[in-house]
Amino acid sequence: SSGINAEYGEQMKEVLSFAKIKPSNLQAESHPLLPNLEVLEFCKQNDMSFVAYSPLGNPGSEYRHKKQIDLLQDEDVVGIAQKHGVTPGQTLVRYQIDKGNAAIPKSVTPSRLKQNLDVFGFSLDATDMETLSNLYKKVGPKGYRTCSVAHWKHSPTHPFPEYFVR
């Protein structure tokens, strides 16, 4: 099997149009501020699993949106974490798992690496999931990226619509 890292429907359709081995997995940035709903739907329609990178919203990013919310300090995320007796980071990783996705959070701190793996002792309820699933509305109709793709802007196969590039 194979996988792809893509986040734009036309690019993914193009890969599927010529792939001799259909990708079984897609990896893309995904967190409550960039839910990538179209990408997730594409994966469901094409029987592909989904891996969310930057599920914590990339809080240390130098590529900051002017309205960027630090998900680890967002009052809704913190409230859900407190309700379950876990950290905001664990809440965000569990959110991806409860959506049926895999998640690959980044950390260089040993204690946080351990916390990011310790997410199987609780589940989020429907209210928690709805709250997290609607956080992107605080910043715009589709949310925003926290990982830069501007370096691809001049590529002839640039896959991202302008609202993803600053």
Side-chain angles (χ1 to χ4, degrees):
S1 73
S2 65
I4 56 176
N5 180 329
E7 299 181 43
Y8 186 53
E10 295 308 312
Q11 181 190 42
M12 295 181 296
K13 290 175 190 173
E14 182 180 352
V15 169
L16 288 180
S17 74
F18 65 80
K20 292 182 181 179
I21 298 173
K22 178 183 159 195
S24 59
N25 179 271
L26 188 138
Q27 182 184 109
E29 179 181 349
S30 184
H31 45 76
L33 298 177
L34 183 70
N36 262 325
L37 300 174
E38 294 155 358
V39 175
L40 289 169
E41 184 58 33
F42 179 87
C43 287
K44 287 178 188 173
Q45 291 174 358
N46 289 280
D47 196 30
M48 298 169 70
S49 61
F50 183 82
V51 175
Y53 71 77
S54 294
L56 308 182
N58 204 4
S61 174
E62 293 178 21
Y63 180 71
R64 310 265 316 164
H65 187 278
K66 61 184 174 186
K67 295 181 183 177
Q68 184 159 338
I69 295 168
D70 183 343
L71 285 171
L72 298 176
Q73 296 180 23
D74 178 80
E75 65 184 22
D76 292 318
V77 176
V78 170
I80 292 168
Q82 289 173 342
K83 171 179 157 182
H84 294 283
V86 298
T87 68
Q90 288 171 308
T91 300
L92 295 168
V93 172
R94 186 68 210 195
Y95 170 66
Q96 293 295 335
I97 292 167
D98 286 353
K99 285 173 51 175
N101 303 332
I104 49 174
K106 177 188 172 200
S107 183
V108 295
T109 308
S111 62
R112 286 195 200 120
L113 289 168
K114 186 175 187 276
Q115 284 177 351
N116 290 341
L117 293 171
D118 188 18
V119 296
F120 296 100
F122 72 103
S123 292
L124 302 175
D125 62 35
T127 303
D128 300 335
M129 293 297 288
E130 183 176 347
T131 298
L132 294 171
S133 293
N134 285 299
L135 284 182
Y136 75 95
K137 293 176 182 176
K138 290 182 177 181
V139 295
K142 292 187 180 248
Y144 59 77
R145 299 185 58 79
T146 61
C147 298
S148 177
V149 293
H151 55 283
W152 290 330
K153 189 171 186 172
H154 300 294
S155 168
T157 58
H158 179 259
F160 300 99
E162 288 305 309
Y163 62 81
F164 279 153
V165 179
R166 286 182 276 260

